[in-house]
C-alpha cells in the first residue's frame, strides 16, 4: 500500500476543485502542498493536527475499506501504529481485528423492531417512538436520551476515545457520528470536548508523537518519523530530548541525565554556590566570579588562572597548547581519603566542569548580540575582499553546539566512570584505559572550543581585511576541527563505551553536526472548518470544500471551532 | 440526576419475582437514594442458609454510573472485605453497563458468593486462607454465616449461651463452634 500515492490523490482532488491558477495565485500557499518529507521531525500545530492523522486514517480506510470512524477506532485501539494494526489483520484476519477493537460493521441489522412505531428502551424502561431511539452498529437499540446521558458520563470519566455500547458485555465502540450528533443537541460543550479528545488521541496515544514540553505550553506536538531517540527543537524554540522530554542532554543517556539533575538538585546550595560561582585566585585568594565567556580568567590582582582547575597559569594554558592543558583529566585523590569525601570531590570535579561550560554557554549567548553588532559595522566598511560574514555566525553556532556537548560530556563521564551505574561492567584496568581514551578526546575538544571562543571575541571589525581573512580561516578551521572532534568523541562513546556494556542499554541521541534538528512545520494541506457546533454525521458538502473554504479555515485558524472529522474522508470515499 | 422513574420500575419488577429469586430490594429511606438489598446465601456453599444484607447507594448518574454496594452483614469471602463489606466485582466498577439493574447486580453478587476469585482478592487474609487451607476457610465462612447471617433464634449466641450454661468456658466454646462451622452437636462432642 503506497500511502504517498493515496495522499497525492487528495491533493489532486482538491486541485480539481480549484482552478489551478487560483492555487498558485493564493499567497497563503507559499509552501509546498505536500508535507515535507526531508525532515524526520515535524511540528504539529492545532491547525495541522487533523492533516497529520489523515495519512494514517487513509491507509487504514483504503486497506480495509472502512469508514473513517471505524479506521479511527481501530487506530486508537492500536495506538496509531499502522504497521501493528496491519500485522494483526494479516495474522488473525479482519473479523478478529474488528472484534478486538470493538468495531461492528453493519452485521446484526435486525429490522424486526423497525416494524413497530415504538421501542422499549431497556435503560429507562420506557416505550419511546422509534424515531427517538438509535440503533448502533452492534445492533443494540436504546432511546436517544439514554444514549446522550451515557456519552456524557463516559466522557466525564475520561473514556471519550472508546465509548462502549450500553448493552451488558457488548464490546462494540459507539459510532462517533452518533455520539457527536446526540451530544451536541443537549451538551454542546461536551460535544466539543469529545471532538477535541478524538483529535488529540493522535498525540496522546501515539508513541511517535509527543506534546512539546514547553511551559507555558505552546500548543504544539512533535512527530518523529523513525527513531524516537533524538533531540528536537519545536517551532516555539523549545529544545528537548524526544525520549524523556527533558532538556536536550546528549551524550548523556536519559537515565544518566535524570540521575545527574537529581544529584545537582540534592547537593547543598551553599556548596554549589561556593564551588560553582567562585574560584579563589591562586595568588590573592579572593573569590573570583567569572563574567566573560572564555575560561581563562584574570583576577584584579593581575594573576591569570584557569577557570576549570583554578590553577595559576600563563596565557598559554587554556587555549594555545592542548598538550599542556590537562586539567580536564580527573586525578584520583589519595587513597587515605575517606570514600564519602572522595565521592564528593569526584562529583565536584565533574560538576564544576559541567557548570563551567554551561555558564560559558550562557555568557556566550550574550556574545551573539555583540557579534551581530560587529558584523554590521564590518559590513558598512564596504570592503572589497570580505563581503560575506556568515562564517562568523557559523563559527558562533559551532561554539554553542560544542559547548553543550562538552558540558553534558562531563555529566556523562561522571556516570560512565563511576560506580553508580557501571560498577559491574568493567574492571579497574579497563575503566582506566577507557577513561584515558575518553578524556583525551574530551580535552582536545575542550582546548579547541576555548580557542574558538577566544577567536570569536576578537574585535575583527577593527581589523584590516588581511587580518580579517586570517581570522576567518582560523574560525573555519577550528569549526571543522571541533565538528570532527565531536564526531570522534561520540563514536568513542557509542562504540567503545556504551556499545560494550553487557547489562542495561544506554542509548544516546546521535551527534548532529548541524545541531539539534528543528522540526519542520507540518503543512496543512487540507483543513476544513465546519460551520458551527451543530455538526451532524451526515454533513457532506463537496462544493464548499474548495479553495475558498480552505483559505478561510487557515486565516481564521481553528481555535475554539470544530473540526468536522468526517467530512473530507466521507466525500473522498465517493470519488 | 438519578432516573427515579427507572428505580421505581426496578423495585416493582424485583418484588414481582422476590419469591422465586429470593432477592429483595427495599428503600432505606423514602428518597430512593439509599436502598437495602438482601440475597440468600447460595445453596451448597458455606453461605447456605444465611441471608445477607447489602447497602446500596445510587450515584448521581445512575443508571449510567454503577450503584455503590457494600455488605452490611459480615461475611467471610476472598472478594469481600471482612472489615468493611466492600465488594470486589467488575460489574460494579468498569464493567458496569446501564443495561444492568439492581437485581442483576445483586444476582452477580450472589454468584460471587458461590464462585470466589481468590486471585483478585479484596481481603488478602481470606484469600490466603482460601488458597492454603481451604477447609479452615469453609469452616470460618460457615461460622460467620451462622453468627451474622442468620436470624437470632438460630444464631450462634444462643448456642454459645447454651454450651456455657452446660459448664464449658466461653472462649473454648466459641473456638470449637467456629472450628466445626457452628454445629451445636459436633461442638458438644468435641467439648466432651
Amino acid at each position: 500500500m503506497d500511502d504517498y500515492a493515496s495522499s497525492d490523490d487528495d491533493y489532486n482532488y482538491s486541485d480539481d476543485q480549484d482552478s489551478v491558477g487560483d492555487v498558485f495565485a493564493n499567497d497563503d500557499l507559499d509552501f509546498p502542498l505536500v508535507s515535507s518529507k526531508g525532515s524526520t521531525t515535524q511540528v504539529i500545530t492545532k491547525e495541522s493536527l487533523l492533516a497529520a492523522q489523515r495519512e494514517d486514517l487513509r491507509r487504514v480506510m483504503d486497506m480495509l475499506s472502512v469508514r473513517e470512524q471505524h479506521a479511527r477506532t481501530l487506530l486508537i485501539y492500536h495506538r496509531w501504529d499502522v504497521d501493528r494494526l496491519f500485522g494483526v489483520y494479516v495474522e488473525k484476519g479482519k473479523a478478529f481485528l474488528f472484534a478486538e477493537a470493538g468495531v461492528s460493521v453493519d452485521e446484526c441489522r435486525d429490522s424486526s423492531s423497525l416494524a413497530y412505531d415504538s421501542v422499549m428502551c431497556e435503560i429507562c424502561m420506557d416505550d419511546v417512538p422509534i424515531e427517538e431511539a438509535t440503533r448502533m452498529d452492534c445492533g443494540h437499540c436504546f432511546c436517544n436520551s439514554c444514549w446522550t446521558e451515557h456519552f456524557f458520563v463516559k466522557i466525564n470519566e475520561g473514556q471519550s476515545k472508546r465509548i462502549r455500547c450500553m448493552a451488558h458485555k457488548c464490546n462494540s465502540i459507539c459510532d462517533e457520528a452518533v455520539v457527536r450528533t446526540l451530544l451536541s443537541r443537549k451538551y454542546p460543550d461536551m460535544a466539543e470536548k469529545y471532538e477535541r479528545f478524538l483529535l488529540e488521541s493522535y498525540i496522546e496515544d501515539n508513541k511517535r508523537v509527543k506534546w512539546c514540553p514547553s511551559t507555558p505550553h505552546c500548543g504544539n506536538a512533535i512527530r518523529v518519523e523513525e527513531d524516537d531517540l533524538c533531540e528536537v527543537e519545536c517551532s516555539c524554540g523549545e529544545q528537548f530530548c524526544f525520549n524523556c522530554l527533558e532538556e536536550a542532554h546528549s551524550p548523556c543517556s536519559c537515565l544518566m541525565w535524570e540521575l545527574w539533575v537529581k544529584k545537582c538538585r540534592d547537593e547543598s546550595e551553599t556548596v554549589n554556590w561556593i564551588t560553582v560561582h567562585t574560584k579563589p585566585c591562586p595568588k590573592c585568594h579572593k573569590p573570583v566570579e567569572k563574567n566573560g565567556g572564555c575560561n581563562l580568567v584574570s583576577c584584579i590582582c593581575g594573576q591569570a588562572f584557569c577557570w576549570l582547575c583554578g590553577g595559576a597559569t600563563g596565557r598559554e594554558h587554556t587555549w594555545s597548547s592542548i598538550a599542556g592543558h590537562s586539567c580536564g583529566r580527573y586525578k584520583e585523590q589519595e587513597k587515605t581519603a575517606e570514600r564519602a569525601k572522595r565521592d564528593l570531590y569526584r562529583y565536584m570535579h565533574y560538576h564544576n566542569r559541567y557548570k563551567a561550560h554551561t555558564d560559558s554557554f550562557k555568557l556566550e549567548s550574550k556574545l551573539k548580540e555583540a557579534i551581530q553588532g560587529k558584523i554590521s559595522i564590518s559590513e558598512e566598511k564596504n570592503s572589497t575582499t570580505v563581503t560575506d560574514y556568515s562564517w562568523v555566525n557559523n563559527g558562533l553556532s559551532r561554539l554553542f553546539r560544542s559547548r553543550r556537548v562538552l558540558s553534558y560530556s562531563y555529566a556523562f563521564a561522571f556516570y560512565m566512570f563511576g560506580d553508580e551505574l557501571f560498577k559491574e561492567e568493567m574492571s579497574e584496568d579497563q575503566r582506566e584505559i577507557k577513561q584515558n581514551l575518553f578524556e583525551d578526546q574530551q580535552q582536545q575538544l575542550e582546548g579547541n572550543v576555548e580557542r574558538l571562543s577566544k577567536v570569536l571575541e576578537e574585535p575583527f571589525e577593527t581589523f584590516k581585511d588581511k587580518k580579517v581573512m586570517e581570522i576567518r580561516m582560523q574560525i573555519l578551521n577550528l569549526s571543522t576541527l571541533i565538528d570532527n572532534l565531536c564526531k570522534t568523541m561520540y563514536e568513542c562513546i557509542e562504540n567503545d563505551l556504551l556499545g560494550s556494556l553487557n547489562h542495561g542499554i544506554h542509548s544516546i541521541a546521535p551527534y548532529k553536526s548541524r545541531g539539534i534538528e528543528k522540526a519542520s512545520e507540518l503543512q496543512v494541506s487540507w483543513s476544513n472548518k465546519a460551520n458551527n457546533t451543530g455538526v451532524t454525521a451526515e454533513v457532506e458538502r463537496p462544493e464548499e470544500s474548495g479553495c475558498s473554504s480552505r483559505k478561510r479555515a487557515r486565516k481564521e485558524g481553528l481555535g475554539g471551532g470544530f473540526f468536522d472529522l468526517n467530512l473530507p474522508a466521507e466525500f473522498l470515499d465517493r470519488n | 440526576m438519578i432516573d427515579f422513574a427507572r428505580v421505581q420500575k426496578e423495585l416493582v419488577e424485583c418484588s414481582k419475582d422476590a419469591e422465586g429469586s429470593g432477592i429483595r430490594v427495599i428503600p432505606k429511606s423514602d428518597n430512593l437514594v439509599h436502598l437495602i438489598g438482601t440475597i440468600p446465601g447460595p445453596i451448597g456453599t458455606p453461605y447456605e442458609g444465611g441471608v445477607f444484607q447489602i447497602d446500596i447507594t445510587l450515584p448521581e448518574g445512575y443508571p449510567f454510573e454503577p450503584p455503590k454496594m457494600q455488605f452490611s452483614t459480615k461475611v467471610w469471602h476472598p472478594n469481600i472485605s471482612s472489615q468493611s463489606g466492600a465488594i470486589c466485582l467488575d460489574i460494579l466498577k468498569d464493567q458496569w453497563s446501564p443495561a444492568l439493574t439492581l437485581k442483576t447486580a445483586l444476582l452477580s453478587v450472589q454468584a460471587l458468593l458461590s464462585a470466589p476469585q481468590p486471585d483478585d482478592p479484596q481481603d488478602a487474609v481470606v484469600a490466603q486462607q482460601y488458597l492454603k487451607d481451604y477447609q479452615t476457610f469453609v469452616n470460618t465462612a460457615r461460622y460467620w454465616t451462622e453468627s451474622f447471617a442468620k436470624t437470632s433464634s438460630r444464631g450462634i449466641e444462643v448456642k454459645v449461651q447454651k454450651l456455657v450454661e452446660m459448664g464449658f468456658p466461653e472462649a473454648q466454646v466459641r473456638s470449637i463452634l467456629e472450628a466445626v462451622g457452628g454445629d451445636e452437636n459436633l461442638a458438644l462432642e468435641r467439648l466432651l
Side-chain angles (χ1 to χ4, degrees), chain B:
Chain B
M1 198 42 204
I2 301 176
D3 185 349
F4 286 116
R6 162 163 155 159
V7 180
Q8 201 63 263
K9 281 178 192 155
E10 277 194 48
L11 294 182
V12 172
E13 197 65 30
C14 194
S15 67
K16 272 190 208 161
D17 189 35
E19 288 307 313
S21 64
I23 288 178
R24 291 167 212 274
V25 183
I26 49 162
K28 200 172 182 178
S29 51
D30 45 2
N31 66 3
L32 290 185
V33 176
H34 298 285
L35 305 136
I36 297 171
T38 42
I39 52 172
I43 293 164
T45 69
Y47 311 103
E48 183 178 343
V51 173
F52 297 87
Q53 283 209 345
I54 293 165
D55 268 346
I56 304 172
T57 308
L58 299 182
E60 266 302 278
Y62 186 81
F64 303 99
E65 290 169 25
K68 295 186 173 67
M69 291 190 176
Q70 191 167 352
F71 274 84
S72 56
T73 307
K74 280 172 81 75
V75 54
W76 190 255
H77 186 282
N79 307 102
I80 298 158
S81 166
S82 57
Q83 303 294 316
S84 67
I87 307 168
C88 181
L89 183 62
D90 59 352
I91 62 143
L92 293 178
K93 290 170 183 141
D94 56 325
Q95 293 301 307
W96 170 255
S97 144
L100 294 170
T101 62
L102 294 174
K103 187 183 160 187
T104 51
L106 287 172
L107 277 168
S108 299
V109 172
Q110 195 187 26
L112 183 70
L113 288 182
S114 344
Q117 313 279 327
D119 296 329
D120 181 22
Q122 171 81 35
D123 194 310
V125 178
V126 186
Q128 279 301 314
Q129 194 191 56
Y130 182 92
L131 291 170
K132 293 199 171 136
D133 188 357
Y134 183 73
Q135 197 47 52
T136 310
F137 163 78
V138 170
N139 289 342
T140 314
R142 192 174 291 142
Y143 178 75
W144 278 46
T145 308
E146 289 289 327
S147 309
F148 308 114
K150 292 197 173 170
T151 45
S152 56
S153 60
R154 295 163 61 207
I156 208 82
E157 288 306 318
V158 178
K159 293 174 188 170
V160 171
Q161 206 183 342
K162 232 163 128 186
L163 291 167
V164 169
E165 278 166 6
M166 289 162 114
F168 300 107
E170 186 178 335
Q172 198 190 356
V173 168
R174 284 189 189 275
S175 72
I176 288 185
L177 264 177
E178 184 173 344
V180 297
D183 190 308
E184 196 183 324
N185 295 328
L186 275 176
L188 188 58
E189 272 173 37
R190 292 250 195 128
L191 284 164
L192 294 168

